[in-house]
Amino acid sequence: MSGPSTSAASATPAAPVTPTTPAPPPDRVSVKTWLAVVAMALGTFAMITVEALPVGLMTSISGGLDVSEGAVGLLVTVPGLVAAVTAPVLPVLIGRLDRRLVLLALLTLMVAANALSAAASGFALLLVARFVAGVSIGGFWALAAGIAVRLVPERHIPRATALVFGGATAANVIGVPAATFVGELSDWRVAFLAVAGLGLLVVAGLVFLLPSLPATEPVRLSELPRQFRNRTVRAGVIATGLLVGGHYAAFTFISPILQDTSGVSESLIGPLLLVYGLAGIGGTVLAGVTATRDVRATIIAMSVLLAAVLALFPLVGRSPATGIVLLVLWGLAFGGIPVAVQTWVLKAAPGSTEAATALNTSMFNLAIASGAALGGVVVSAVSLTAVLGFGAALSALTSLAVWRTRKI
């Protein structure tokens, strides 16, 4: 790209290109660009930590603000639902605005929401702060994957996407437990301030690392239903709904499942969830590699593995050893699903990445909320082990939906 053109070279034959100075490969990625991708991954790490933070601090928030733990649960539900609405709407509202500026604004909004959470004098104000956090979470997720795609050449897109989504997996393994630990050592308000501080560091990093990203084409409201009518995009969005919904229906009850089905001691649940999270990171990395070669086969393999693990758990996982093995396989399977499905959606809509990603992000958040709710209904109406079969059935349906769609 930076070398002389063909016509210039023919006009000046005295300056040939020598074998010792080859032109750099066209898909080479600079260190600064990869650092920008890593900074984006830290942004997803911070966002997911923010979204799930009240889960680990439920007791202390309940006592500190004198509200029930059921009410504190709204601090997770509200931002999740707000994010589901924000994800498809924000790309339409921002029009031709530079995506770099929008992303920095969303991260800054997250920092402000956490600062407001830390300063909240009552539960109502804290709920408002969580509503604001939901706006930043949904908007960030709607843009993040599309920005990663624009930073690197096509050959590196699955790897960049895996890094960005790996930040979300790492948040569940490190971010939420670490923030919870900070809250337990001091106060729940300090935990919110700590995540706000991390957000400020991410903003500072992206200011220096992220290039200007003008809108290639503004997203119009009509583009959202048009993308959903795209059979391949629709298959990816449905896959997200089925896999994430099935996973959260069962995983919401992972602690009683491990204790009642596998006989695992309650004291081991925390360490085992850390092991699960590490397996999830491994699944993210693996999917980032295999999706480059065949994203359709990757989604099918991950969904089949997840369905098999959930279906076999009541039959095979009846001892601590087998239960732990199945838990690791569970983490490996689900860890690869977000990056694999997102890669599918990006390939299915190369000219409308923001609209397609927004639909997928909205479905992801809706699936978390609905999956957990449906899982609770199944557990209450049938049994604890029945929810594993329910999750397995949804995962198996995913394989069928993707198999019937053309290869991309």
Side-chain angles (χ1 to χ4, degrees), residues 81 100 110 120 122 141 154 166 203 237 268 273 333 347 382 385:
L81 294 176
R100 174 180 181 270
M110 181 270 284
W141 276 106
E154 183 177 0
V203 170
V237 174
L268 289 177
L273 291 181
K347 286 189 173 185
V382 188
T385 54

Side-chain angles (χ1 to χ4, degrees), residues 245-266 268-269 272-273 276 306 309-328 330 371-372 375-376 378-380 383-392:
H247 163 77
Y248 275 95
F251 193 73
T252 301
F253 303 95
I254 188 61
S255 178
I257 286 171
L258 287 172
Q259 293 178 66
D260 297 350
T261 302
S262 303
V264 172
S265 169
E266 184 179 0
L268 289 177
I269 299 299
L272 286 180
L273 291 181
Y276 165 88
L306 181 60
V309 168
L310 295 179
L312 289 173
F313 219 116
L315 304 174
V316 178
R318 305 194 68 81
S319 71
T322 55
I324 292 170
V325 170
L326 289 172
L327 182 67
V328 170
W330 190 342
V378 171
V379 169
S380 299
S383 68
L384 185 63
T385 54
V387 80
L388 291 163
F390 177 70

Side-chain angles (χ1 to χ4, degrees), residues 91-400:
V92 176
L93 295 179
I94 60 178
R96 292 186 176 276
L97 286 176
D98 190 314
R99 272 39 183 169
R100 174 180 181 270
L101 296 179
V102 176
L103 199 73
L104 292 172
L106 289 168
L107 283 163
T108 304
L109 186 65
M110 181 270 284
V111 172
N114 278 277
L116 181 61
S117 297
S121 57
F123 183 72
L125 184 56
L126 181 55
L127 201 57
V128 170
R130 295 297 292 169
F131 182 97
V132 175
V135 173
S136 64
I137 292 166
F140 182 91
W141 276 106
L143 298 179
I147 288 177
V149 167
R150 294 179 63 180
L151 289 175
V152 299
E154 183 177 0
R155 187 169 72 89
H156 297 284
I157 286 175
R159 187 179 303 171
T161 306
L163 274 172
V164 171
F165 278 84
T169 306
N172 290 314
V173 179
I174 303 170
V176 176
T180 301
F181 183 63
V182 169
E184 289 173 347
L185 285 180
S186 51
D187 183 76
W188 63 268
R189 299 177 188 273
V190 177
F192 278 101
L193 285 176
V195 181
L198 174 62
L200 281 176
L201 290 176
V202 175
V203 170
L206 288 176
V207 165
F208 290 103
L209 295 171
L210 202 62
S212 176
L213 295 165
T216 53
E217 183 70 27
V219 178
R220 295 177 174 84
L221 193 60
S222 59
E223 182 67 14
L224 298 174
R226 191 178 79 82
Q227 284 303 314
F228 195 72
R229 288 194 296 269
N230 179 331
R231 183 183 178 189
T232 312
V233 171
R234 186 169 64 249
V237 174
I238 291 173
T240 293
L242 291 172
L243 287 168
V244 175
H247 163 77
Y248 275 95
F251 193 73
T252 301
F253 303 95
I254 188 61
S255 178
I257 286 171
L258 287 172
Q259 293 178 66
D260 297 350
T261 302
S262 303
V264 172
S265 169
E266 184 179 0
S267 62
L268 289 177
I269 299 299
L272 286 180
L273 291 181
L274 175 61
V275 172
Y276 165 88
L278 292 173
I281 292 176
T284 302
V285 174
L286 179 62
V289 174
T290 59
T292 307
R293 306 187 185 110
D294 193 333
V295 64
R296 182 166 171 263
T298 299
I299 294 176
I300 291 174
M302 294 290 184
S303 61
V304 167
L305 177 58
L306 181 60
V309 168
L310 295 179
L312 289 173
F313 219 116
L315 304 174
V316 178
R318 305 194 68 81
S319 71
T322 55
I324 292 170
V325 170
L326 289 172
L327 182 67
V328 170
L329 292 175
W330 190 342
L332 186 69
F334 188 74
I337 285 167
V339 63
V341 177
Q342 184 60 50
T343 301
W344 171 284
V345 169
L346 292 173
K347 286 189 173 185
S352 301
T353 56
E354 285 187 3
T357 298
L359 288 174
N360 197 48
T361 301
S362 180
M363 177 59 78
F364 200 103
N365 283 278
L366 285 174
I368 291 174
S370 61
L374 288 173
V377 171
V378 171
V379 169
S380 299
V382 188
S383 68
L384 185 63
T385 54
V387 80
L388 291 163
F390 177 70
L394 293 183
S395 299
L397 286 174
T398 305
S399 302
L400 180 61

